[in-house]
Amino acid sequence: MNNTATPRRTLRRAVKGILVRGISLSLMLYVLFPFLWLVLSSVKLPVELLSRPPVIIPEKLTFKYYANLFENGSFMTAVWNSLIVAGFTTLLSLVLGVFASYVFARLKFPGRKTVFLTILGSQMLPQMALLIPLFILMRMTGLLYSFQGLVLAYITFSLPYVVWMYYSFLQSLPHEIEEASRIDGCTRLQSIFRIMLPLSATGLTATGVFVFIGAWNEFLLASVLTDSGSRTLPSRISEFIGQDRIAYELMFPAGVISCIPVLVLVLYFQKYIVQGLTEGGVK
């Protein structure tokens, strides 16, 4: 009886393993197919891009259009503009969000819950609803078509997200740790930098990665609040769409280039992202 059950159990395990691997491989191909298509299309000739039926594997690889983009001064300026704007947005959002989250998580004051819910509720406002007010405000303050104005506009939407995320990380940390540091002589500010930040570094890293990706990929505000000299990468790529034709041979390589910083960032901080997201949900 046992001798018969053992081969059957082994067979079921083998079949289950094959099914799991097959489903996992299918899902992976489904998720990666758009990116693989983007990469393959970026090295095709224009004739192959518009051919019917579609050409999946190009007959001849061409990197001429990558070279054209790197030689294009306005495109490379847009790349640097996106790095500057996304970097400052992430840095300022994290600095302001850390202190704001600490206030809501550790201090007691009248109206604390109301203010906190108001900040979180601001995330429900779509960008389109605030686009015209932001445009008027930037024009009145002289920040229109500048990096400073675009960074402030991005912080408007990223700061509530940072407060919400980091607040959950702080809530998962025991109050006794901070109280012990205060007994040992740390001020509240020293307790934040020496105790709270190191313990929640993974969560803060994960939050910063998502803020950077959001600022890097943002299109609507960048298209309205910037001019030709301060364009970011997404709005610059949209200029390849003209009235007469769409420059697919430039859009595909530009799309690959725009994906590289995000991929590098996510792959480098992958461990911290997974660990940070799980830490916030333990409470």
Side-chain angles (χ1 to χ4, degrees):
M1 190 72 176
N2 294 334
N3 294 334
T4 306
T6 301
R8 291 179 179 177
R9 191 180 300 111
T10 304
L11 180 61
R12 285 197 298 267
R13 289 178 180 176
V15 172
K16 183 179 179 180
I18 294 174
L19 289 176
V20 170
R21 289 177 175 83
I23 295 173
S24 301
L25 181 61
S26 301
L27 291 175
M28 184 182 67
L29 292 176
Y30 176 78
V31 173
L32 293 179
F33 180 76
F35 181 73
L36 294 176
W37 183 267
L38 176 67
V39 174
L40 290 174
S41 299
S42 67
V43 293
K44 292 179 183 177
L45 296 173
V47 177
E48 295 176 327
L49 292 174
L50 302 176
S51 63
R52 295 291 183 274
V55 176
I56 299 178
I57 305 298
E59 295 182 2
K60 182 180 179 181
L61 302 181
T62 175
F63 297 92
K64 177 178 66 174
Y65 300 106
Y66 279 98
N68 292 343
L69 288 176
F70 286 116
E71 293 173 358
N72 189 334
S74 61
F75 180 81
M76 296 307 299
T77 300
V79 174
W80 287 111
N81 292 346
S82 290
L83 288 173
I84 293 172
V85 171
F88 275 101
T89 299
T90 304
L91 179 62
L92 294 177
S93 297
L94 291 180
V95 171
L96 297 175
V98 164
F99 289 105
S101 303
Y102 182 85
V103 169
F104 290 118
R106 291 293 190 260
L107 302 183
K108 306 294 183 181
F109 57 91
R112 179 174 65 94
K113 292 185 177 179
T114 303
V115 177
F116 182 69
L117 292 176
T118 302
I119 292 176
L120 296 185
S122 64
Q123 279 198 306
M124 293 185 289
L125 293 174
Q127 288 185 341
M128 185 64 71
L130 298 179
L131 185 59
I132 295 178
L134 282 173
F135 181 87
I136 296 174
L137 181 63
M138 295 302 170
R139 186 175 60 181
M140 291 175 58
T141 55
L143 295 175
L144 188 62
Y145 306 139
S146 66
F147 295 133
Q148 297 89 336
L150 189 59
V151 169
L152 290 176
Y154 284 175
I155 291 176
T156 303
F157 297 95
S158 63
L159 186 57
Y161 172 76
V162 175
V163 172
W164 177 36
M165 292 292 292
Y166 196 64
Y167 175 85
S168 64
F169 296 135
L170 291 179
Q171 288 291 87
S172 64
L173 297 178
H175 291 259
E176 292 76 12
I177 297 178
E178 185 181 2
E179 292 174 359
S181 67
R182 300 291 299 278
I183 293 175
D184 290 338
C186 288
T187 63
R188 193 177 293 276
L189 191 61
Q190 290 174 335
S191 178
I192 294 175
F193 285 101
R194 295 182 179 181
I195 306 298
M196 311 304 289
L197 285 180
L199 290 177
S200 58
T202 54
L204 194 62
T205 302
T207 304
V209 170
F210 285 113
V211 171
F212 183 91
I213 293 174
W216 176 267
N217 292 329
E218 203 284 324
F219 171 75
L220 181 61
L221 294 177
S223 300
V224 176
L225 301 180
T226 59
D227 58 4
S228 58
S230 56
R231 288 277 189 233
T232 57
L233 190 55
S235 58
R236 181 66 69 185
I237 293 176
S238 68
E239 295 179 355
F240 294 140
I241 303 176
Q243 294 181 350
D244 301 328
R245 65 182 293 270
I246 301 176
Y248 291 109
E249 68 277 6
L250 294 177
M251 289 190 67
F252 285 115
V256 174
I257 294 173
S258 68
C259 291
I260 291 176
V262 176
L263 289 175
V264 172
L265 195 66
V266 171
L267 291 176
Y268 184 79
F269 291 106
Q270 180 181 9
K271 179 180 68 175
Y272 302 99
I273 293 174
V274 175
Q275 185 178 353
L277 292 178
T278 54
E279 281 182 357
V282 173
K283 184 69 176 176

